[in-house]
Amino acid sequence: MKALYLALVVLRVLLSVLPSYIHPDEFFQGPEIAAADILQTSGLRTWEFGSPAVRSIVPLYAFAGPPMAALKVLGVAPTAWRVFAGSRVFMALVSLGVDVGVFRATRSRALLLVLASSHCLCAFHAHTFANSLASVVLATCFGLLQRIIQRRGGAGGGLAWLGAWLALGSFAHVTFPAFAWP
């Protein structure tokens, strides 16, 4: 079972670098803005992030910032392929947070295999969408909530961590509170 799960994780990472395209937002509302801000490349800044900004830059930097910062710190030239692949591989790895959150909440290995083979995780969660980050945060909240329930309270700062993740999710996507409320 572990070997199958690891194979599915490797497949998710490999699929993440395929030159696929779902929606322009995946590029124009994420990596392009982060690359322009962090790597000082030229890029189009969409109206949502103009003046005045109508969207938070927090999720954008959460999923597109680390690969860009890594390129900058390592002194690697920011080619289009490196920016693309770095962002996609990073998101594929971040999507493992959904696996962890669901497993912590359910303790079901069978469900973990179903989830790891899901088209949504292999396709959408490996792309740079705010929705992908919001689902990772939501799964993390479910895992934290399960730990809090098991410990019968917020011992060890569990409630504080849950509150921090709920705040991040609210910045990540406008609909996050509706999904986190139940």
Side-chain angles (χ1 to χ4, degrees):
M1 197 163 220
K2 285 182 183 179
L4 179 57
Y5 176 73
L6 288 175
L8 289 169
V9 168
V10 169
L11 180 64
R12 188 184 314 174
V13 172
L14 291 175
L15 289 174
S16 73
V17 295
L18 290 178
S20 58
Y21 170 80
I22 295 174
H23 194 276
D25 288 357
E26 117 178 60
F27 302 111
F28 295 117
Q29 293 179 352
E32 185 163 352
I33 294 171
D37 289 354
I38 297 169
L39 300 171
Q40 284 78 45
T41 62
S42 63
L44 173 68
R45 193 168 199 90
T46 56
W47 65 272
E48 297 99 331
F49 301 101
S51 181
V54 294
R55 287 186 64 187
S56 173
I57 200 116
V58 171
L60 183 142
Y61 278 9
F63 66 73
M68 309 295 168
L71 287 174
K72 187 172 185 172
V73 167
L74 295 172
V76 177
T79 65
W81 172 250
R82 289 178 184 147
V83 168
F84 168 80
S87 297
R88 287 280 188 87
V89 169
F90 181 74
M91 282 305 294
L93 295 174
V94 166
S95 75
L96 295 175
V98 173
D99 300 19
V100 171
V102 168
F103 184 74
R104 279 187 177 171
T106 65
R107 296 291 181 212
S108 171
R109 292 179 186 210
L111 183 59
L112 185 62
L113 285 177
V114 170
L115 185 67
S117 62
S118 162
H119 176 263
C120 283
L121 278 178
C122 290
F124 297 111
H125 283 77
H127 289 247
T128 53
F129 292 118
N131 309 38
S132 303
L133 178 65
S135 67
V136 171
V137 172
L138 185 63
T140 303
C141 289
F142 287 145
L144 284 170
L145 186 59
Q146 184 64 28
R147 286 178 107 180
I148 292 167
I149 291 168
Q150 287 172 348
R151 292 181 180 170
R152 292 186 172 83
L159 288 174
W161 279 109
L162 180 60
W165 281 94
L166 288 170
L168 175 63
S170 297
F171 277 107
H173 202 272
V174 69
T175 61
F176 179 84
F179 290 101
W181 181 256

